[in-house]
Amino acid sequence: MAYSARLRKAVGAVRATLSAVELCDVQAPEFAQHGDHAVAADAPLVLVACSGGRDSMALAAVSHIVCTSMGVRCGAVIVDHGLQAGSEQVASEAADRCHALGLGPVIMRNATVQARGEGLEAAARQARYDELCAAAHESGAIAVLLAHTMDDQAETVLIGLLRSRGVDALAGMPQVFTRSGATFARPLLTLTRAETTGICEDLGVEYWDDPTNGDALPNDYPLRSRVRHDLLPAIERFAGFNVTRHFAESARLARMDKEYLDQRSDEVMGEAVAAVDWPASSAAVSTDAPRACVAGDTNDSSHGIGLMISVKRIAREPEAIRLRVIAHALSQAGVNASAAQIAAIDRLVVDWHGQGGVSLPRGYSANRKKHVIRVCQDGAHANR
């Protein structure tokens, strides 16, 4: 069949993404030659995360075309969250369509969604990634492909601006990332939702329409759905041009800045921050540089995982780096601090005049003593 312009664009995008995750380096050598070749049963495996919607079905179809041309196996993983009536049937139909396209293996996973204060949408996302990571590890997949489009990227930028601020909010979603040891990639960030719909039409692929993507959505629907159908169209009418492409391109540029800042911050963090296991009893601890805390009375098991941050090391860095070092360190310690709390810890570094500590989530707090800031659960601060 003759490929449409949008299908050629999608094929190129998937091939470029597979090159980015170094899949081109593991393809069988005969696939670099002309002619038809069968994909080996033990060839490297790529999985497509498929919901059955237009974007993921388009990605599944195109990925199968590209992977087959490279001598790489292409399978699918379908996660049923069980949050909507009939979700089991939707998942089953998605699996049938993936089988019909020639994908294999087609893996079905059932997610358990437990919202613990972060909201149902975030809990569902976490549960979905848990299942995708498990499927990748169990199948030995080299990468899992996600079907986020240019439209999704624009929506992510707007959601980021509503929920947070700074470069990270503008940077949107990365093309390639790792999570729990699994590699994920988003080949379709340069394609629009209209183009994935057209690709399904080109290839005769049926898809399912999520009811949360309908018009006139109530306020209790997911934020992304309301951004998609209410906020973005309103901004586009006001601006008078394609703001989806504008936001997506801005995200690409902002991500380059974010990646550099993250790299530089991680270098500083490696020199300035140490994770510690604070004991229950007092012990001699150096106050000049971060180092592991010395265990005290082993009969008292009360302790907390915390951090020691060298004030001298990070004080000479620009504010943009200091704030990232603090934020990254807290995140690695499992402390989800707000921007205001991170800024307050930074004041302990550059504007310390004997002020008290900074209260943090999960019973943690940050306190400065001489040239070290200690981040501990409150019960462990007796050992400062």
Side-chain angles (χ1 to χ4, degrees):
M1 62 171 286
Y3 283 7
S4 64
R6 58 199 173 203
L7 185 51
R8 290 196 302 272
K9 181 180 178 182
V11 167
V14 171
R15 183 174 288 276
T17 300
L18 295 183
S19 296
V21 296
E22 300 181 345
L23 262 173
C24 284
D25 296 336
V26 297
Q27 67 175 323
E30 62 267 21
F31 283 85
Q33 309 297 324
H34 291 295
D36 295 328
H37 309 284
V39 177
D42 61 349
L45 173 66
V46 171
L47 290 176
V48 177
C50 189
S51 67
R54 66 190 73 197
D55 297 336
S56 63
M57 289 308 305
L59 178 60
V62 173
S63 297
H64 180 257
I65 292 170
V66 174
C67 287
T68 300
S69 72
M70 295 173 57
V72 174
R73 290 184 295 147
C74 183
V77 54
I78 298 159
V79 178
D80 178 10
H81 301 83
L83 295 178
Q84 295 180 9
S87 64
E88 183 178 354
Q89 181 179 348
V90 171
S92 177
E93 290 174 353
D96 290 342
R97 290 178 185 133
C98 288
H99 280 298
L101 287 171
L103 278 72
V106 176
I107 302 168
M108 303 280 287
R109 308 282 303 196
N110 293 315
T112 301
V113 180
Q114 296 179 328
R116 297 187 178 94
E118 74 273 40
L120 186 61
E121 198 174 354
R125 181 170 57 251
Q126 178 63 52
R128 178 167 61 254
Y129 273 113
D130 289 345
E131 296 302 328
L132 293 176
C133 289
H137 290 311
E138 292 171 10
S139 66
I142 290 180
V144 179
L145 305 186
L146 305 175
H148 297 115
T149 65
M150 182 186 295
D151 300 78
D152 294 306
Q153 186 71 291
E155 293 157 12
T156 299
V157 171
L158 281 175
I159 291 171
L161 290 172
L162 290 172
R163 289 178 169 168
S164 58
R165 52 196 167 188
V167 173
D168 288 15
L170 294 171
M173 299 177 289
Q175 183 188 32
V176 179
F177 65 101
T178 59
R179 185 164 180 155
S180 300
T183 298
F184 291 86
R186 298 181 171 103
L188 303 184
L189 290 180
T190 57
L191 278 82
T192 66
R193 190 169 294 122
E195 287 175 315
T196 59
T197 304
I199 288 169
C200 289
E201 294 171 356
D202 293 341
L203 299 176
V205 174
E206 295 183 355
Y207 55 83
W208 166 74
D209 262 329
D210 188 337
T212 63
N213 289 335
D215 297 325
L217 302 178
N219 288 335
D220 61 350
Y221 266 53
L223 176 60
R224 180 175 292 275
S225 298
R226 288 180 283 126
V227 166
R228 176 177 303 171
H229 292 281
D230 296 337
L231 184 55
L232 257 177
I235 294 175
E236 192 150 296
R237 287 193 299 271
F238 176 83
F241 64 88
N242 187 343
V243 296
T244 295
R245 188 173 298 278
H246 175 76
F247 284 139
E249 178 61 18
S250 296
R252 187 185 68 82
L253 298 175
R255 178 150 296 279
M256 290 191 292
D257 294 341
K258 172 181 163 24
E259 288 174 351
Y260 171 75
L261 290 170
D262 284 343
Q263 179 183 354
R264 179 71 188 122
S265 299
D266 288 344
E267 291 171 356
V268 174
M269 190 170 74
E271 300 172 2
V273 182
V276 294
D277 186 354
W278 296 105
S281 303
S282 61
V285 180
S286 167
T287 58
D288 293 326
R291 55 182 289 259
C293 185
V294 180
D297 183 0
T298 57
N299 292 325
D300 188 340
S301 61
S302 176
H303 70 283
I305 303 300
L307 303 167
M308 295 180 70
I309 304 173
S310 169
V311 172
K312 288 183 177 180
R313 177 62 189 88
I314 69 170
R316 63 177 184 263
E317 296 294 334
E319 183 179 7
I321 299 299
R322 295 197 311 269
L323 293 174
R324 282 179 179 273
V325 169
I326 295 168
H328 290 189
L330 291 174
S331 178
Q332 288 191 7
V335 181
N336 185 24
S338 67
Q341 290 165 333
I342 292 168
I345 296 174
D346 186 54
R347 287 194 292 275
L348 294 179
V349 176
V350 298
D351 186 27
W352 188 52
H353 44 269
Q355 68 263 41
V358 178
S359 296
L360 299 168
R362 294 179 54 216
Y364 278 80
S365 59
N367 294 265
R368 174 167 172 170
K369 184 175 181 181
K370 295 186 179 180
H371 300 301
V372 169
I373 293 173
R374 291 175 170 83
V375 179
C376 320
Q377 285 187 310
D378 292 339
H381 275 293
N383 305 305
R384 299 199 312 269

